[in-house]
Every structure is written in C-alpha cells, then in structure tokens.
Amino acid sequence: MKSIAALQDLVTPWSDGLEPSDAELDAIEVEMPLILADVDLLDAEIAVLDRTPSDLDAQRIRRARRRMLAARRNLINRSIAAVSLSGGAA
C-alpha cells in the first residue's frame, strides 16, 4: 500500500521563491495605512451585522470610512507624484 504523504511533494512542490521579495515588502509597507484603515472599517461594519447600528456605531463607521478614503487618496496622490517625478507621460 502506497502512502499519499509520499506523493505530497509531487502535488505541492516546495519552492524556494515563496518568500516575498524586497520590492513586494516595500509595496506592502507603502499600502499599510490603507490596509489598516480597511481593517478598521471592516471591524466597525462587522460589529453591527447582527444588530441595528446605534448612533455611536454609525459614527464609528463614518469615521472609519473617512480614514479609509483619506488613506486611499494619499496613496493615489503618492503614486501620481511618483509617476510625474519619474517622467511618466500624461
């Protein structure tokens, strides 16, 4: 009887390239404020899934949405500035 575990390497071979590159880590670091703002918004929305949002809940959701939009705006402005500084065509 053959063991399936012996064939596991053939199904999902281990790759040395599984670690993120430095460029990918830098991109994640640049996007981290937006990622954290998205998580805050999701937390606020998840908190009210099973109940009617109170005024405090609605305020928390609005505040989280504003932070997420501001983080997204800052990220877009930063990428536009990087393109214009690098001589990208308009």
Side-chain angles (χ1 to χ4, degrees):
M1 177 180 211
K2 288 187 175 181
S3 173
I4 294 176
L7 300 176
Q8 186 67 27
D9 196 21
L10 296 175
V11 176
T12 55
W14 180 257
S15 172
D16 291 334
L18 289 178
E19 295 296 321
S21 68
D22 289 339
E24 291 170 331
L25 290 174
D26 290 342
I28 291 170
E29 187 175 333
V30 167
E31 294 178 7
M32 190 54 70
L34 178 58
I35 293 168
L36 294 175
D38 281 335
V39 169
D40 287 342
L41 178 58
L42 284 173
D43 284 345
E45 291 173 342
I46 288 170
V48 297
L49 280 178
D50 61 345
R51 60 187 164 94
T52 304
S54 67
D55 290 338
L56 215 57
D57 293 328
Q59 182 182 11
R60 180 179 176 213
I61 291 170
R62 283 193 309 270
R63 190 177 301 131
R65 186 171 287 126
R66 283 193 306 265
R67 278 195 301 260
M68 184 268 306
L69 290 172
R72 184 177 292 172
R73 180 195 63 221
N74 293 340
L75 184 63
I76 290 171
N77 287 341
R78 178 184 244 178
S79 65
I80 290 172
V83 168
S84 67
L85 288 176
S86 66

